[in-house]
Amino acid sequence: GESVGLHLPTLSVQEGDNSIINCAYSNSASDYFIWYKQESGKGPQFIIDIRSNMDKRQGQRVTVLLNKTVKHLSLQIAATQPGDSAVYFCAESSHPTQGGSEKLVFGKGTKLTVNP
Amino acid sequence: SQTIHQWPATLVQPVGSPLSLECTVEGTSNPNLYWYRQAAGRGLQLLFYSVGIGQISSEVPQNLSASRPQDRQFILSSKKLLLSDSGFYLCAWSRLAGGRINTQYFGPGTRLTVL
């Protein structure tokens, strides 16, 4: 079946370093991708998204890269801070069918720990 | 701006008791609405979604049901809870698709423990 997964379940970095969180997807029809950040006991928070007509998109301290050839998505966090510690989920979606709603398929998540 | 609310924030219920979780969205009209469940340390599983009042689609067979009595209200229910219903329940909304996929925004969640 189609799935979205992550290469590493945990990632530990030093404060100030750059972090890279990876995600693989298998649905070649996926054309929209989102990264979410989820802190303990809270709902996922939208970080950044990218559509399949783009390879790269930048936000504040974050960059998402999409490689459609190998079905790979990554989230780069620059100058990682302790407040970035959380679980990060990638999610993918394909175009909704007529009358339907877009559905997101989530990966299992990567726990990022930032050490001071 | 749009906000999404869920209540209660936490709930402890005995096996066999009923359940009602509520989600409301403010600041938008005709949203798509979603219910997800998240098991401890796991990803999110889509349970139900709704594209309009009274329109509910179920993703997985289960002990739960959903209703949308108003445009910006989404309710998750059960007549008799099971131990396996324990988890973190998240409501989300997105703008009407209109042929374009849109971001889903999540509420704060409800932590349900069934004993």
Side-chain angles (χ1 to χ4, degrees), chain A residues 46-103:
Chain A
F46 170 83
I47 302 174
I48 192 168
D49 60 359
I50 188 168
R51 299 191 186 272
S52 58
N53 60 349
M54 302 174 68
D55 297 321
K56 179 179 179 179
R57 191 169 186 209
Q58 289 184 291
Q60 187 177 13
R61 285 201 304 119
V62 294
T63 301
V64 56
L65 298 176
L66 176 63
N67 186 331
K68 296 180 285 294
T69 302
V70 296
K71 298 189 186 69
H72 184 268
L73 187 71
S74 69
L75 176 70
Q76 300 178 2
I77 305 174
T80 314
Q81 304 168 359
D84 295 326
S85 294
V87 176
Y88 289 80
F89 291 97
C90 64
E92 58 91 9
S93 181
S94 53
H95 198 280
T97 57
Q98 185 175 5
S101 176
E102 64 274 17
K103 302 176 190 178

Side-chain angles (χ1 to χ4, degrees), chain A residues 97 99-103, chain B residues 32-35 46-52 55-59 66 68 74:
Chain A
T97 57
S101 176
E102 64 274 17
K103 302 176 190 178
Chain B
N32 294 326
L33 296 171
Y34 308 83
W35 277 113
L46 179 62
L47 302 176
F48 301 95
Y49 69 89
S50 172
V51 299
Q55 301 179 62
I56 309 294
S57 296
S58 175
E59 287 298 295
R68 185 170 177 175
F74 206 22

Side-chain angles (χ1 to χ4, degrees), chain A residues 32 36 38 51 95 101-102, chain B residues 34 38 94 99 101 103-104:
Chain A
Y32 180 56
Y36 288 93
Q38 186 176 26
R51 299 191 186 272
H95 198 280
S101 176
E102 64 274 17
Chain B
Y34 308 83
Q38 185 177 32
S94 69
I101 303 167
T103 304
Q104 292 182 20

